[in-house]
Amino acid sequence: MIAPRIRRMLAAAALIGTLGAVGCSALPVESGGSDAVGDPRLDGELTIFAAASLSGAFDRLAADFEDLHPGVDVRPINYDGSSVLAVQLLEGASADVFAAADEKNMTKVVDAGLAAAPETFATNTLQIAVAPGNPEGIRSLDALAAAGLTVVLCAPEVPCGTAAHALLDAADVTFAPASEEQNVIAVLSKVKSGEADAGLVYRTDVLAAAGDVAGIDIAGAERATNVYPLVSLEDAANPDAADAFVAFVLSDAGRQVLADFGFGAP
């Protein structure tokens, strides 16, 4: 027997596929005022917890999802480091969907019985973020250990920090970071404001901040690729909308949005 949650996921995937096949065009409004686009049965609020690096892409996905399902109101998404979000969920925070920037923090949520069968939907790698024009002439990880540089990283327990330390260890580069932040947005902000000369962030963050920072490629960055899983949570207050959102992110339309924001395929 197929579990109710799996049945919902299959139904949501079928709906997204059907909409994609017709180009997500508007459907006629039925007499009685049903929704003009998408599934009129979906309504209510949807609460999403997502890794900070997903902020631009998930804001777009949420807006597109609301266009498909006018009865659903996606609340302002809770963006933070995946480890911070996982702790919030383990401590009882209420959410419908969780999207993490690594499998380790998703596993914590699954092992606690809060979710099952997460789906991988994107990948990401790190770059060195520097001021426009790269005034310090930073070209590689080795350069980050130069005297006088102010370099910021994500904290080791945060996915971007785990990846950063993996790359630094592999390159045998050691230095004392000026700070270790709880999410990648904080690292990027310090580079943008001039508080730091450089920081290790995702290439998607550099792309989103084009003009405010420049990105330096890291040799071997693919050795610390972040894999992004998402899942509708078992105690979701709006399980149907949660399953439909997950299916939308996994759809061709959702993957195109992710690609537009620089994410790699899973």
Side-chain angles (χ1 to χ4, degrees):
M1 179 178 295
I2 301 176
R5 178 176 173 276
I6 301 300
R7 284 200 300 269
R8 293 197 306 270
M9 287 292 292
L10 291 172
L15 171 65
I16 295 297
T18 300
L19 289 171
V22 299
C24 297
S25 58
L27 301 177
V29 178
E30 299 289 337
S31 58
S34 64
D35 294 330
V37 180
D39 186 349
R41 296 169 297 177
L42 292 180
D43 59 13
E45 294 185 335
L46 184 65
T47 301
I48 300 169
F49 280 26
S53 54
L54 291 166
S55 57
F58 264 47
D59 281 349
R60 171 80 62 78
L61 287 165
D64 290 350
F65 184 76
E66 287 181 325
D67 287 342
L68 285 171
H69 305 288
V72 177
D73 175 25
V74 180
R75 300 182 62 192
I77 297 174
N78 182 14
Y79 293 115
D80 212 323
S82 297
S83 60
V84 174
L85 297 174
V87 169
Q88 291 176 357
L89 291 170
L90 293 172
E91 291 180 346
S94 178
D96 299 303
V97 174
F98 177 41
D102 69 347
E103 295 173 301
K104 178 179 70 175
N105 284 292
M106 179 62 77
T107 297
K108 294 176 184 178
V109 172
V110 171
D111 288 348
L114 302 180
E119 297 271 3
T120 299
F121 68 97
T123 58
N124 213 346
T125 54
L126 296 182
Q127 282 189 321
I128 304 169
V130 298
N134 192 11
E136 300 296 334
I138 296 168
R139 300 296 178 193
S140 66
L141 288 177
D142 292 351
L144 298 180
L149 279 185
T150 301
V151 182
V152 293
L153 304 174
C154 289
E157 67 272 13
V158 181
C160 60
T162 300
H165 283 283
L167 291 177
L168 291 167
D169 290 346
D172 197 24
V173 176
T174 59
F175 60 87
S179 66
E180 292 185 317
E181 306 295 332
Q182 286 301 310
N183 62 64
V184 73
I185 292 176
V187 175
L188 190 67
S189 294
K190 290 202 169 185
V191 178
K192 288 169 63 175
S193 68
E195 294 180 64
D197 298 309
L200 292 182
V201 303
Y202 296 115
R203 63 172 52 253
T204 54
D205 297 299
V206 173
L207 180 63
D212 293 323
V213 300
I216 308 301
D217 287 335
I218 300 170
E222 69 281 355
R223 291 177 295 184
T225 297
N226 281 80
V227 176
Y228 287 65
L230 85 163
V231 72
S232 54
L233 295 161
E234 293 294 322
D235 291 334
N238 195 343
D240 291 333
D243 291 342
F245 182 79
V246 169
F248 177 62
V249 174
L250 296 171
S251 71
D252 289 344
R255 293 188 191 281
Q256 184 58 59
V257 170
L258 292 162
D260 290 345
F261 280 84
F263 288 92

